[in-house]
Amino acid sequence: MIRIGEQEIEDLLWGAAVLGAGGGGDPYLGLLMAKKAIGKYGPISLIHPLEVPDDALVISTAIIGADTILLEKIPRGNEAYASVKKLEEYLGKKAYGVMTTECGGFNSTVPFVVAAQAGLPVIDADAMGRAFPEQQMTSFHIYGLKGSPMVMTNEKSDCCVLETKDNYFLEKLCRSISVEYGGVAYFAGYSLTGKELKEASIPNTLSFSLRLGRAIREARENKQDVIEAIIETTSNSVYGRAIKLFSGKITDIKRNVVNGFMQGKTRVQGFQSFSGQTLEVCFQNENLIAYIDGKVVATVPDIIMFFDEVTGIPLPTTKLRYGYRVVVLGIPTPEIMRTEAALNIWGPKCFGYELDYVPLEILHSAYYNTAPEFAS
């Protein structure tokens, strides 16, 4: 068990923002909400899935919708808690703990806000190992578990309970309701037993986010290279060693809210060793595919993430602006996220790209065949 206070939650959210691959909500909003909750109710316990009894109830909670709209509709802070309470009432059972379905700067903090209000622990796991935009894109779905019953609320206390035949129809209903709610909603779903949690979740993702965020903070405090700190930290984890894909200046970015998603493309003109080259990254809430001069250099589910070149702060897609000088990293995802069953729900073709998934280690074999101390 790890006790999460204000410093720990700040480190955790910046690490989770890296794993969020550009999505999962705005880290700053998540930080404000989580710090307020911890300041009022005290530190929160983060526990491993193995600490949860097999017959206990665990509820997942997060937001759904377009990240840009969240910046305009600042949450009150009790919306997700209302969803969890309503789901407990519907199921007739109290939750033993809460968890997130995805890593991300905002969504990783939502269970902590709920846990503080409810007096519950947060489970050190998620169902994506990063952030994905759709409800069926979870390890729970791979293991045949249903997301419904699911409760959705908004900032006006509107509430609905969904029961669906499968997770694909659940995604359609969730998306439509989030649009009717004004572009963003707060859900509680994927109610699991402790046994199901141990079988179907991706463990230790929040404690790794904490370690990654702490490495970023300490590198900044000691005026060291944040990118090198991230590469070193990922080298010693279930994620693979991060690779510097590109550095340059953002020269164009297009964002559109389409069917409840934020879709678009970021273009970066290279400098230093990338001078004369152009990077393009396509996103749907999260960064999905990266091209350099038209050649694929990284694809989902591997993580593609932008960082401020000067401060080393991770930049979600909502924060990218024309003229920003950025570094772009690729991070290999754990093997559990690269199985055939996993790629059938979150591989490139699931987002409409006629591409096969090729791991970063193969796309950049020269880098990954080099000893870590000489690779950066």
Side-chain angles (χ1 to χ4, degrees), residues 3-14 31 35 38 43 210 213-214 217-218 221:
R3 295 290 283 171
I4 302 296
E6 292 191 12
Q7 183 60 66
E8 288 80 10
I9 197 67
E10 184 166 353
D11 290 341
L12 188 153
L13 82 86
W14 287 115
L31 177 62
K35 277 195 167 183
I38 291 172
L210 174 61
R214 183 177 293 148
R217 174 174 56 82
E218 290 178 349
E221 288 175 350

Short mmCIF file of all heavy atoms in Angstrom, two decimals, residues 3-14 31 35 38 43 210 213-214 217-218 221:
data_model
loop_
_atom_site.label_atom_id
_atom_site.label_comp_id
_atom_site.label_asym_id
_atom_site.label_seq_id
_atom_site.Cartn_x
_atom_site.Cartn_y
_atom_site.Cartn_z
N ARG A 3 0.63 5.49 0.48
CA ARG A 3 -0.23 6.61 0.87
C ARG A 3 0.02 7.78 -0.09
O ARG A 3 1.15 8.22 -0.30
CB ARG A 3 0.08 7.03 2.31
CG ARG A 3 -0.27 5.96 3.33
CD ARG A 3 -1.76 5.77 3.47
NE ARG A 3 -2.39 6.82 4.27
CZ ARG A 3 -3.72 6.97 4.39
NH1 ARG A 3 -4.53 6.15 3.72
NH2 ARG A 3 -4.22 7.93 5.15
N ILE A 4 -1.06 8.28 -0.66
CA ILE A 4 -0.98 9.34 -1.66
C ILE A 4 -1.40 10.67 -1.04
O ILE A 4 -2.58 10.90 -0.74
CB ILE A 4 -1.88 9.01 -2.88
CG1 ILE A 4 -1.48 7.66 -3.50
CG2 ILE A 4 -1.78 10.13 -3.92
CD1 ILE A 4 -0.08 7.61 -4.08
N GLY A 5 -0.42 11.53 -0.81
CA GLY A 5 -0.68 12.89 -0.33
C GLY A 5 -0.58 13.87 -1.50
O GLY A 5 -0.59 13.49 -2.67
N GLU A 6 -0.45 15.15 -1.16
CA GLU A 6 -0.48 16.17 -2.21
C GLU A 6 0.74 16.08 -3.15
O GLU A 6 0.61 16.25 -4.35
CB GLU A 6 -0.57 17.56 -1.57
CG GLU A 6 -1.91 17.79 -0.87
CD GLU A 6 -2.11 19.24 -0.48
OE1 GLU A 6 -1.34 20.09 -0.95
OE2 GLU A 6 -3.04 19.52 0.28
N GLN A 7 1.95 15.81 -2.59
CA GLN A 7 3.11 15.70 -3.48
C GLN A 7 3.01 14.44 -4.35
O GLN A 7 3.33 14.48 -5.54
CB GLN A 7 4.41 15.66 -2.66
CG GLN A 7 5.68 15.61 -3.52
CD GLN A 7 5.79 16.82 -4.43
OE1 GLN A 7 5.96 17.94 -3.98
NE2 GLN A 7 5.70 16.59 -5.74
N GLU A 8 2.56 13.36 -3.73
CA GLU A 8 2.46 12.11 -4.49
C GLU A 8 1.44 12.22 -5.63
O GLU A 8 1.68 11.74 -6.73
CB GLU A 8 2.07 10.94 -3.56
CG GLU A 8 3.17 10.49 -2.62
CD GLU A 8 3.30 11.38 -1.40
OE1 GLU A 8 2.42 12.23 -1.20
OE2 GLU A 8 4.28 11.24 -0.65
N ILE A 9 0.31 12.88 -5.37
CA ILE A 9 -0.70 12.98 -6.43
C ILE A 9 -0.19 13.86 -7.57
O ILE A 9 -0.48 13.62 -8.75
CB ILE A 9 -2.06 13.49 -5.89
CG1 ILE A 9 -3.17 13.20 -6.90
CG2 ILE A 9 -2.04 14.97 -5.59
CD1 ILE A 9 -3.50 11.76 -7.08
N GLU A 10 0.60 14.88 -7.22
CA GLU A 10 1.15 15.74 -8.28
C GLU A 10 2.14 14.95 -9.15
O GLU A 10 2.11 15.03 -10.38
CB GLU A 10 1.83 16.96 -7.67
CG GLU A 10 2.34 17.94 -8.72
CD GLU A 10 2.71 19.29 -8.14
OE1 GLU A 10 2.44 19.51 -6.94
OE2 GLU A 10 3.26 20.12 -8.89
N ASP A 11 3.01 14.17 -8.48
CA ASP A 11 3.94 13.34 -9.26
C ASP A 11 3.18 12.32 -10.10
O ASP A 11 3.49 12.11 -11.28
CB ASP A 11 4.91 12.60 -8.32
CG ASP A 11 5.90 13.55 -7.66
OD1 ASP A 11 6.09 14.67 -8.16
OD2 ASP A 11 6.49 13.16 -6.63
N LEU A 12 2.20 11.69 -9.48
CA LEU A 12 1.45 10.65 -10.18
C LEU A 12 0.75 11.17 -11.42
O LEU A 12 0.78 10.55 -12.48
CB LEU A 12 0.43 10.03 -9.21
CG LEU A 12 -0.34 8.80 -9.67
CD1 LEU A 12 -0.76 7.96 -8.46
CD2 LEU A 12 -1.59 9.14 -10.49
N LEU A 13 0.17 12.35 -11.31
CA LEU A 13 -0.60 12.83 -12.48
C LEU A 13 0.32 13.20 -13.64
O LEU A 13 -0.05 13.01 -14.80
CB LEU A 13 -1.51 13.97 -12.08
CG LEU A 13 -0.98 15.39 -11.98
CD1 LEU A 13 -1.01 16.09 -13.33
CD2 LEU A 13 -1.84 16.18 -11.00
N TRP A 14 1.54 13.70 -13.36
CA TRP A 14 2.43 14.04 -14.47
C TRP A 14 2.96 12.76 -15.13
O TRP A 14 3.14 12.70 -16.35
CB TRP A 14 3.57 14.94 -14.01
CG TRP A 14 3.09 16.33 -13.73
CD1 TRP A 14 3.08 16.97 -12.54
CD2 TRP A 14 2.51 17.24 -14.69
NE1 TRP A 14 2.52 18.21 -12.67
CE2 TRP A 14 2.17 18.41 -13.97
CE3 TRP A 14 2.24 17.17 -16.04
CZ2 TRP A 14 1.57 19.51 -14.60
CZ3 TRP A 14 1.64 18.26 -16.66
CH2 TRP A 14 1.32 19.42 -15.95
N LEU A 31 -5.13 17.97 -11.17
CA LEU A 31 -4.33 18.31 -9.99
C LEU A 31 -5.12 19.17 -9.01
O LEU A 31 -5.11 18.94 -7.80
CB LEU A 31 -3.06 19.05 -10.43
CG LEU A 31 -2.15 19.54 -9.31
CD1 LEU A 31 -1.62 18.37 -8.50
CD2 LEU A 31 -0.99 20.36 -9.89
N LYS A 35 -5.91 17.67 -5.33
CA LYS A 35 -5.30 18.34 -4.18
C LYS A 35 -6.36 18.90 -3.23
O LYS A 35 -6.20 18.86 -2.00
CB LYS A 35 -4.37 19.47 -4.66
CG LYS A 35 -2.98 18.98 -5.04
CD LYS A 35 -2.01 20.14 -5.15
CE LYS A 35 -0.57 19.65 -5.22
NZ LYS A 35 0.40 20.75 -5.25
N ILE A 38 -7.69 15.87 -1.30
CA ILE A 38 -6.74 15.36 -0.31
C ILE A 38 -6.57 16.36 0.83
O ILE A 38 -6.45 15.98 2.00
CB ILE A 38 -5.40 15.05 -1.00
CG1 ILE A 38 -5.56 13.84 -1.93
CG2 ILE A 38 -4.30 14.78 0.03
CD1 ILE A 38 -4.36 13.56 -2.81
N PRO A 43 -4.70 12.01 3.13
CA PRO A 43 -4.08 11.11 2.14
C PRO A 43 -4.97 9.91 1.84
O PRO A 43 -5.79 9.49 2.66
CB PRO A 43 -2.78 10.69 2.83
CG PRO A 43 -2.48 11.78 3.79
CD PRO A 43 -3.82 12.26 4.28
N LEU A 210 3.50 7.25 -10.66
CA LEU A 210 4.10 7.99 -9.56
C LEU A 210 5.62 8.03 -9.70
O LEU A 210 6.25 9.08 -9.54
CB LEU A 210 3.70 7.32 -8.24
CG LEU A 210 4.33 7.84 -6.95
CD1 LEU A 210 3.99 9.30 -6.73
CD2 LEU A 210 3.86 7.00 -5.75
N GLY A 213 6.53 10.30 -12.73
CA GLY A 213 6.34 11.72 -12.43
C GLY A 213 7.38 12.24 -11.45
O GLY A 213 7.83 13.38 -11.55
N ARG A 214 7.76 11.38 -10.48
CA ARG A 214 8.79 11.80 -9.52
C ARG A 214 10.13 12.01 -10.24
O ARG A 214 10.86 12.97 -9.94
CB ARG A 214 8.93 10.73 -8.44
CG ARG A 214 9.93 11.07 -7.34
CD ARG A 214 9.94 9.98 -6.29
NE ARG A 214 8.68 9.92 -5.56
CZ ARG A 214 8.15 8.80 -5.06
NH1 ARG A 214 8.76 7.65 -5.24
NH2 ARG A 214 7.01 8.85 -4.39
N ARG A 217 9.96 15.37 -11.95
CA ARG A 217 10.10 16.50 -11.00
C ARG A 217 11.53 16.64 -10.51
O ARG A 217 12.09 17.75 -10.48
CB ARG A 217 9.17 16.28 -9.80
CG ARG A 217 9.35 17.32 -8.69
CD ARG A 217 8.33 17.16 -7.58
NE ARG A 217 8.32 15.84 -6.98
CZ ARG A 217 9.17 15.42 -6.04
NH1 ARG A 217 10.11 16.24 -5.60
NH2 ARG A 217 9.09 14.19 -5.54
N GLU A 218 12.15 15.52 -10.12
CA GLU A 218 13.50 15.60 -9.58
C GLU A 218 14.50 16.06 -10.65
O GLU A 218 15.44 16.80 -10.35
CB GLU A 218 13.90 14.24 -9.00
CG GLU A 218 13.12 13.90 -7.74
CD GLU A 218 13.44 12.54 -7.17
OE1 GLU A 218 14.13 11.74 -7.85
OE2 GLU A 218 13.01 12.25 -6.04
N GLU A 221 14.01 19.80 -10.83
CA GLU A 221 14.54 20.48 -9.64
C GLU A 221 16.06 20.53 -9.66
O GLU A 221 16.67 21.50 -9.20
CB GLU A 221 14.06 19.75 -8.38
CG GLU A 221 12.58 19.95 -8.08
CD GLU A 221 12.10 19.11 -6.90
OE1 GLU A 221 12.87 18.24 -6.44
OE2 GLU A 221 10.96 19.31 -6.46
#
